[in-house]
Amino acid sequence: MGKKSFFGIIILSVLGFLIASTVADLKLGFYDKSCPNAENIVLAYVKNYIPNVPTLAAPLLRMAFHDCFVRGCDASVLLNDTSNNQAEKDARPNLSLRGFDFIDEVKSLLEAECPGIVSCADIISLVARDSVVVTGGPYWKVPTGRRDGTISRASEALSNLPGANENFNALQEKFAIKGLNIKDLVLLSGAHTIGIAHCNTFSNRIYNFTGVGDEDPGMDSAYALSLRANKCKTPTDTTTIVEMDPGSAKNFDLSYYKLLVKRRGLFQSDAALTTDYSSLSYINQLLKKSPLYFFEEFAKSMEKMGAVGVKIGTDGQIRKHCALVNK
Ligand code: HEM
Ligand SMILES: *[C@@H]1O[C@H](CO)[C@@H](O)[C@H](O)[C@H]1NC(C)=O
Ligand SMILES: *[C@@H]1O[C@H](CO)[C@@H](O)[C@H](O)[C@H]1NC(C)=O
Ligand SMILES: CC(=O)N[C@H]1CO[C@H](CO)[C@@H](O)[C@@H]1O
């Protein structure tokens, strides 16, 4: 072995160690000493509130995705615009995010209990998990210790978040940049088993796919017809909402994947998951097993996503208000 490659290996090992230790520093029960009731307070609030507003579980889960894909899971998604900065909230894919007030409410309870201790980033992660659990979905571990970022840019939301009209390669690439593989892509897209979408996120597929007034051949045409007839009655509708997993949009189950193989996924990005051999094989594997298998695998991918680009130790800050950088 030459000197160069020897040093190369040392540098790689050090880098590897640094990356590994970054992940390792999120830990289960990070607040056990500093704010022992923190996780109970979050869970109690979710348990109390979500059953009255069950449609809020989906956007709270989606918020964790939008947060982690832009600058890591650092609550940058929660920051407000300032006079000289357009924040992530203002980016097009974020238009339909909901649940900001919910997070603020949880934050104020935690600030009352232990001021300046619990990060907004951890609140997003815990709330996403607990919302899914009270909806009857999977439980996953949420190691904590994330710190809040101070920067939020609309342009970065637009470039990092996958779009509803993206094809498999584009989706795979955007996930790969975050250290997430094809399995993670298939599993995390399974979040679309709950929640709603606005007509404009898929109307090109049912009205004008290639600019000649045609449908997307990747969508079952009976389904496209019924969406036009019963839901999105004009190509320019931006207000009507549609369940992504009709009839089962409040249940965390396998029916999203059942729809995909029937060419009834709502977005092009959903349909795209059946256009790649290994992705489709994995979908079929999920469908052969029990929902519990999906739950277990989904849990692992959520835990992985929750560690993307986290700020730990003395990096970042613990915001006092989730929408504002500390003065
Ligand atoms: C793979 C790429 C993805 C794309 C292109 C995508 C795109 C979208 C779009 C366009 C909507 C509809 C928003 C609206 O019109 O209101 C939506 C909804 C949703 N997404 Fe995704 N998404 C992706 C992955 C994910 C992931 C990884 C998660 C979470 C783990 C997630 C969770 C959700 C949930 C729960 C909803 C329903 C929100 C609600 O009911 O308000 N999505 N997604
Ligand atoms: C953040 O912006 C929202 C919407 O404009 C506003 O309602 C809220 O009060 C702002 N939050 C703070 C802490 O300034
Ligand atoms: C479809 O899109 C093309 C190109 O944008 C446009 O010229 C045409 O008018 C659209 N047709 C319909 C039926 O919306
Ligand atoms: C309500 C809101 O935040 N709207 C903004 C969404 O993003 C676009 C740019 O992508 C802005 O033009 C909107 O004002």
Side-chain angles (χ1 to χ4, degrees), residues 39-257:
E39 296 199 23
N40 289 332
I41 289 173
V42 176
L43 178 61
Y45 190 76
V46 169
K47 264 189 175 159
N48 193 31
Y49 198 87
I50 295 291
N52 300 325
V53 200
T55 57
L56 207 51
L60 289 168
L61 172 58
R62 185 172 181 229
M63 191 180 284
F65 165 52
H66 280 219
D67 185 33
C68 293
F69 264 60
V70 190
R71 290 191 171 262
C73 315
D74 71 343
S76 53
V77 69
L78 301 178
L79 286 173
N80 272 3
D81 284 353
T82 59
S83 55
N84 55 11
N85 182 58
Q86 228 196 353
E88 289 167 34
K89 268 182 183 172
D90 227 359
R92 214 176 331 106
N94 281 350
L95 249 184
S96 55
L97 273 188
R98 297 180 287 141
F100 294 106
D101 296 348
F102 188 96
I103 301 285
D104 285 346
E105 200 50 52
V106 174
K107 174 67 172 177
S108 65
L109 295 175
L110 291 171
E111 284 300 298
E113 174 83 6
C114 16
I117 299 293
V118 184
S119 70
C120 299
D122 279 339
I123 294 174
I124 294 177
S125 288
L126 291 166
V127 162
R129 191 267 314 277
D130 292 345
S131 300
V132 168
V133 169
V134 303
T135 304
Y139 176 92
W140 60 91
K141 292 198 230 65
V142 179
T144 40
R146 292 168 193 78
R147 291 171 61 88
D148 300 325
T150 55
I151 298 172
S152 175
R153 305 221 186 288
S155 59
E156 292 179 356
L158 291 170
S159 57
N160 285 274
L161 289 167
N165 291 326
E166 287 194 298
N167 66 24
F168 186 81
N169 286 338
L171 296 172
Q172 186 187 1
E173 198 176 307
K174 283 188 171 155
F175 273 65
I177 291 170
K178 308 299 169 192
L180 300 169
N181 60 28
I182 292 179
K183 263 173 106 172
D184 299 316
L185 168 61
V186 170
L187 289 161
L188 294 172
S189 295
H192 291 172
T193 180
I194 55 171
I196 53 90
H198 293 78
C199 288
N200 54 305
T201 58
F202 58 89
S203 56
N204 65 321
R205 301 188 76 202
I206 58 175
Y207 281 107
N208 203 356
F209 192 58
T210 65
V212 296
D214 53 340
E215 283 171 9
D216 181 349
M219 182 184 269
D220 169 30
S221 81
Y223 189 44
L225 176 65
S226 96
L227 285 168
R228 284 195 302 273
N230 306 318
K231 300 282 180 187
C232 309
K233 295 182 183 166
T234 69
T236 52
D237 183 339
T238 57
T239 52
T240 306
I241 56 171
V242 175
E243 295 185 338
M244 293 186 287
D245 181 359
S248 172
K250 291 195 183 78
N251 299 327
F252 216 99
D253 56 20
L254 285 171
S255 60
Y256 167 77
Y257 298 108

Side-chain angles (χ1 to χ4, degrees), residues 74 147-150 311-319 326:
D74 71 343
R147 291 171 61 88
D148 300 325
T150 55
K311 298 174 172 63
I312 48 149
T314 54
D315 205 1
Q317 56 179 224
I318 306 296
R319 274 181 227 147
N326 294 342

